[in-house]
């Protein structure tokens, strides 16, 4: 185990980054590696999931002759689960890049 707890990681990650770059400086930026990729990935995920969820509820309501308010909780939960599954498939490549950026060790940028 590399770090004994969260505080140990918060203290040592910037130090290790400084050692790896060779200048010995604290690199607070190391704690935020991959933040931009996370934001790029999360915004489309949330938007897609919401749009797909609403479209599924509307389509099922029209197909069964019900208003959206009349749909059962099970149907709503199912729409939410399926919309999340569809949205994550679209944004998964961003998640892979984010994780690699966050776990990369070394002085130079990975991406």
């Amino acid at each position: 185990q590399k770090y004994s707890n969260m505080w140990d990681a918060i203290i040592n990650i910037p130090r290790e980054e400084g050692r790896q770059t060779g200048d010995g400086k604290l690199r607070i930026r190391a704690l935020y590696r991959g933040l931009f990729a996370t934001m790029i990935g999360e915004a489309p995920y949330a938007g897609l999931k919401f749009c797909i969820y609403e479209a599924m509820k509307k389509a099922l309501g029209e197909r069964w002759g019900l208003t959206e308010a009349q749909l059962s909780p099970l149907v709503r939960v199912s729409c939410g689960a399926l919309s999340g599954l569809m949205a994550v498939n679209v944004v998964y490549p961003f998640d892979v890049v984010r994780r690699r950026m966050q776990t990369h060790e070394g002085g130079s940028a990975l991406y």
Side-chain angles (χ1 to χ4, degrees):
Q1 185 174 337
K2 192 167 184 174
Y3 305 107
S4 60
N5 57 47
M6 180 181 67
W7 295 112
D8 185 41
I10 288 173
I11 291 167
N12 286 306
I13 289 171
R15 287 182 183 160
E16 290 169 4
E17 183 88 5
R19 281 196 295 272
Q20 290 171 356
T21 58
D23 62 8
K25 296 180 181 177
L26 286 178
R27 300 288 183 180
I28 301 301
R29 260 183 30 195
L31 296 172
Y32 295 93
R33 186 182 298 138
L35 180 62
F36 184 69
T38 299
M39 291 187 296
I40 297 266
E42 287 301 316
Y45 169 75
L48 279 170
K49 184 177 176 186
F50 179 75
C51 290
I52 294 169
Y53 172 71
E54 291 296 324
M56 288 176 74
K57 283 193 321 180
K58 183 177 179 183
L60 288 174
E62 288 174 359
R63 175 139 177 109
W64 295 334
L66 301 171
T67 64
E68 288 182 33
Q70 294 173 318
L71 293 174
S72 73
L74 180 61
V75 170
R76 290 171 184 263
V77 168
S78 298
C79 288
L82 288 173
S83 65
L85 185 64
M86 290 179 200
V88 80
N89 280 299
V90 173
V91 299
Y92 187 75
F94 290 108
D95 197 43
V96 170
V97 171
R98 175 184 64 86
R99 288 172 196 254
R100 288 188 183 176
M101 288 174 71
Q102 288 176 329
T103 60
H104 172 69
E105 293 184 12
S108 62
L110 183 61
Y111 293 95

